[in-house]
Amino acid sequence: MPHRSVSRAAVVALALGNTAVDAFWRLECPGSIGLARIDPLMDFDGLSGHVHALKGGSAFSAKSTADDLLKSKCTSCGVKQDKSAYWAPPLYFKGDDGTLTVVPEKPPFKAYYELNAGKTSDGKEQTIEAFPNGFQMIAGDNLRRNTTLSGPDPDTSGFKGPYTDKSNDEREQLAIGFNCMNYGFHGGPKKEEPTLYRHHLPEKSWIDMNCPDGIRLELQFPSCWNGEMDGGDGHKSHVAYPEWINGGDCPAGFDRRLPQLMFETIVATDQFVGKGGKYVLGNGDPTGYGYHGDFISAWDDGVLEKAVAECTDQSGEMKACSVFELTDDSASCTIESMPDDLKDENTEGPMSNLPGGCEIQSGPERATKGKGASGSSSGGQSAGVSSPENKSKDESPAVNKESSSSPPPVAEPKPEGNVAESKPEGKVAAEKEDKPDEKVAEYVAPPAPTTTSPPAEAPVAEHAGNAIRTDIYTSNGIVYENLVVVKEVTVTEGAKAKRTPEAEHVRRHGHRHEHVKRHAHGGRRLR
């Protein structure tokens, strides 16, 4: 019988200086209530210009309010008392033949509620307040197709964070992440990337070679607040990012502090390895700079307030907070009422156009609203079928369609270990954006993945003394990080023991990912 033993972990406790106590919980959403062109913030009571992956309360609609959401029959997320709405554009694969197919998610979608305290602009300590019901906001910029950032993110060993000199617009760009997932089961070394490590969508050829387990889409929301329930037409002027994106102090005029929300979605790009084409977000963005997300708060009365005060377990697990009543039907929850114009719309593919006829616009100019703007009923068409020319009266012509010039070059880090050298992310302006990816070095695709992950050999248990993760805790006002170094030894008796990718996913992602490390010390990455 196979026997597996794990050596005692070497634990290094790092004192990270005096800072406010960070806590969090990870709201896991095993299901999705739909994939549809619905956006009650930007296209109230109409049809959105692009498709969204919808999570949360089943009463979500094009004119949802918190009162509507609270009447939901179910939620696709893991806490019954939370009927909030969370939505963002999905990722699509566009083949060389022009056919578009949605890239499946690897559930659960996660919405992190991070309790990162700080100070006001005049130095007063802040108390974290719960989102009031009806509070709504957007993070990211749907029309962005370029970046004003230069060079890689700075690395710092200081405790004040690297972004104190950045504007809120630059912080918004830094609050987007496209992280490579590589658990080390495909012949190369395991590679971990910190949260918000890369702020653009890499080329497909690079993803194929370096991200055998998919990519993780990340979006950090602001947490500094001026007290207003909404932020005007853009739904963001009432909030601002703290000084180092996910922590630190707030700017003047935004003295109140909210939980810091973060979306995390892992998508199965590994299902498209070796296929010619490219990736594009559902809003027609192939660069990733226009990734964005929306939120409407709708919690049962008093629950979120109590959770903010009491849910401080550093594991981040929902079950660790007694305030929460966990769901058992979230994976099967679906939207209660789909608009008639969207009931038969093809949002998954194969299709020849993005849902809503949304134009693919590569920049570097800002994108413009084209087909599929609010009020249009045109949708994603099956492959080989052209979309109708339905335009709304408010629709602007799309002058910046799928461009022949790509965004400014952004070099990807050279892969570590014995991985073939990849092509740089950027292309010169003379190259065509829709040119098939060039072959880079010799590459042999791994075997095609199955749609169902193999079961884990055995659940990986929590270890109180022999930790197999990074833990953060506080003592006497000091935040400590336990950096765990694990050496795993496999002893075979009669049969060869083997860890599966799913078991590794549980081991590495059952907690807080790399951004636990960053919250405790203002963005400093441990090398």
Side-chain angles (χ1 to χ4, degrees), residues 4 455-463 468 503 506-507:
R4 185 172 69 176
E457 181 177 299
V460 181
E462 298 291 334
H463 293 268
I468 58 170
V506 171
R507 188 180 75 83

Coordinates of all heavy atoms in Angstrom, one line a residue, residues 4 455-463 468 503 506-507:
R4 N 2.7 7.9 2.1 CA 3.3 9.2 1.9 C 3.5 9.9 3.2 O 2.7 9.9 4.1 CB 2.3 10.1 1.0 CG 2.9 11.4 0.6 CD 2.0 12.2 -0.3 NE 0.8 12.6 0.3 CZ -0.1 13.3 -0.3 NH1 0.0 13.7 -1.6 NH2 -1.2 13.7 0.3
P455 N -9.8 12.9 -9.4 CA -9.9 13.1 -7.9 C -8.6 13.2 -7.2 O -7.7 12.5 -7.6 CB -10.8 11.9 -7.5 CG -10.5 10.9 -8.5 CD -10.3 11.6 -9.8
A456 N -8.6 14.0 -6.2 CA -7.3 14.0 -5.4 C -7.1 12.7 -4.7 O -8.0 12.0 -4.3 CB -7.4 15.1 -4.3
E457 N -5.8 12.3 -4.5 CA -5.5 11.1 -3.9 C -6.0 11.0 -2.5 O -6.6 10.0 -2.1 CB -4.0 11.0 -3.9 CG -3.4 9.7 -3.3 CD -1.9 9.7 -3.4 OE1 -1.4 9.8 -4.5 OE2 -1.3 9.7 -2.3
A458 N -6.0 12.1 -1.8 CA -6.6 12.2 -0.5 C -6.6 13.7 -0.1 O -5.8 14.5 -0.6 CB -5.7 11.5 0.6
P459 N -7.6 14.1 0.6 CA -7.6 15.5 1.0 C -6.4 15.9 1.8 O -5.9 15.1 2.6 CB -8.9 15.7 1.9 CG -9.2 14.3 2.3 CD -8.7 13.4 1.2
V460 N -5.8 17.1 1.5 CA -4.7 17.5 2.2 C -5.1 18.2 3.5 O -5.8 19.2 3.5 CB -3.8 18.5 1.4 CG1 -2.6 19.0 2.1 CG2 -3.5 17.8 0.1
A461 N -4.7 17.7 4.6 CA -5.2 18.2 5.9 C -4.5 19.4 6.3 O -3.4 19.7 5.9 CB -5.0 17.1 7.0
E462 N -5.2 20.2 7.2 CA -4.6 21.4 7.8 C -3.6 20.9 8.9 O -3.9 19.9 9.6 CB -5.7 22.2 8.5 CG -6.7 22.8 7.5 CD -6.1 23.8 6.6 OE1 -5.1 24.4 7.0 OE2 -6.6 24.0 5.5
H463 N -2.5 21.5 9.0 CA -1.5 21.2 9.9 C -1.2 22.3 10.8 O -0.7 23.4 10.4 CB -0.2 20.7 9.2 CG -0.3 19.5 8.4 ND1 -0.1 18.2 8.9 CD2 -0.7 19.3 7.1 CE1 -0.3 17.3 8.0 NE2 -0.7 18.0 6.9
I468 N 1.8 23.8 6.1 CA 2.2 23.7 4.7 C 1.7 24.9 3.9 O 1.3 24.8 2.8 CB 1.6 22.4 4.1 CG1 0.0 22.4 4.3 CG2 2.2 21.2 4.7 CD1 -0.6 21.3 3.5
A503 N -5.1 17.7 -6.3 CA -4.5 17.7 -4.9 C -3.6 18.9 -4.7 O -3.6 19.5 -3.7 CB -3.8 16.4 -4.6
V506 N -5.5 22.1 -4.2 CA -6.0 22.2 -2.9 C -4.9 22.7 -1.9 O -5.1 23.5 -1.1 CB -6.6 20.8 -2.4 CG1 -6.9 20.9 -0.9 CG2 -7.9 20.5 -3.2
R507 N -3.7 22.1 -2.1 CA -2.6 22.4 -1.2 C -2.2 23.8 -1.3 O -2.0 24.5 -0.4 CB -1.4 21.5 -1.5 CG -0.3 21.6 -0.5 CD 0.8 20.7 -0.8 NE 1.6 21.2 -1.9 CZ 2.5 22.2 -1.8 NH1 2.8 22.7 -0.7 NH2 3.2 22.6 -2.9

